[in-house]
């Protein structure tokens, strides 16, 4: 596998998601792993934390970086974050996979390129 510093980082906010889906950590973990694989990423491990009385945080560690979700079932809201390095992965595919499953009524996406320095751009630690 060829690793680079360049990659894509996708952030998504989903509103209007069914509360029971956002509390189902077991299913969310499975769907996230499936989404990461569909995005072309290699799943290394997965950590899950279930909160009382509700809510779940899941972090999927990828060979190419990470995929996370934080849920707020009482608000029908979740925040997702997927960053992958290299040209063979597509973090937006992982996010879209979950959008298709969770069926939010409102979605906001932001995508930024990571690891690229524009010509003349100041990079921390350089003069």
């Amino acid at each position: 596998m060829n690793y680079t510093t360049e990659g894509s980082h996708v952030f998504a906010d989903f509103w209007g998601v069914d509360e029971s889906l956002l509390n189902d950590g077991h299913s969310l973990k499975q769907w996230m792993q499936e989404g990461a694989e569909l995005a072309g990423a290699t799943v290394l491990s997965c950590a899950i934390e279930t909160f009382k009385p509700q809510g779940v945080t899941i972090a999927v560690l990828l060979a190419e970086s990470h995929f996370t979700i934080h849920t707020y079932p009482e608000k029908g809201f979740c925040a997702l974050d997927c960053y992958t390095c290299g040209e063979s992965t597509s973090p937006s595919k992982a996010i879209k996979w979950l959008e298709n499953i969770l069926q939010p009524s409102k979605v906001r996406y932001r995508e930024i390129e990571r690891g690229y320095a524009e010509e003349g751009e100041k990079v921390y630690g350089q003069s």
Side-chain angles (χ1 to χ4, degrees):
M1 188 174 287
N2 184 14
Y3 294 99
T4 69
T5 59
E6 294 86 13
S8 183
H9 202 156
V10 178
F11 304 90
D13 293 338
F14 293 176
W15 290 271
V17 178
D18 182 273
E19 184 175 343
S20 65
L21 293 175
L22 295 178
N23 257 328
D24 185 353
H26 176 76
S27 294
L28 284 168
K29 177 182 170 185
Q30 178 181 335
W31 296 328
M32 289 182 69
Q33 290 173 322
E34 291 169 357
E37 290 168 1
L38 286 171
T42 304
V43 175
L44 299 176
S45 64
C46 188
I48 182 169
E49 186 66 36
T50 303
F51 299 96
K52 299 294 179 201
Q54 57 200 354
V56 177
T57 292
I58 300 171
V60 179
L61 181 63
L62 308 172
E64 301 80 7
S65 198
H66 69 271
F67 185 20
T68 65
I69 189 170
H70 307 281
T71 74
Y72 303 85
E74 72 281 10
K75 298 183 182 289
F77 174 80
C78 63
L80 298 104
D81 166 6
C82 189
Y83 172 40
T84 61
C85 299
E87 296 178 12
S88 63
T89 57
S90 175
S92 61
K93 285 184 181 178
I95 300 286
K96 289 285 189 188
W97 169 253
L98 277 182
E99 181 182 357
N100 288 334
I101 292 168
L102 299 177
Q103 295 293 302
S105 60
K106 180 180 175 187
V107 176
R108 184 172 75 183
Y109 284 96
R110 289 168 302 241
E111 183 170 0
I112 61 170
E113 292 180 342
R114 303 290 304 266
Y116 298 92
E118 298 290 328
E119 182 69 32
E121 181 179 6
K122 179 164 176 53
V123 177
Y124 181 76
Q126 293 181 342
S127 23

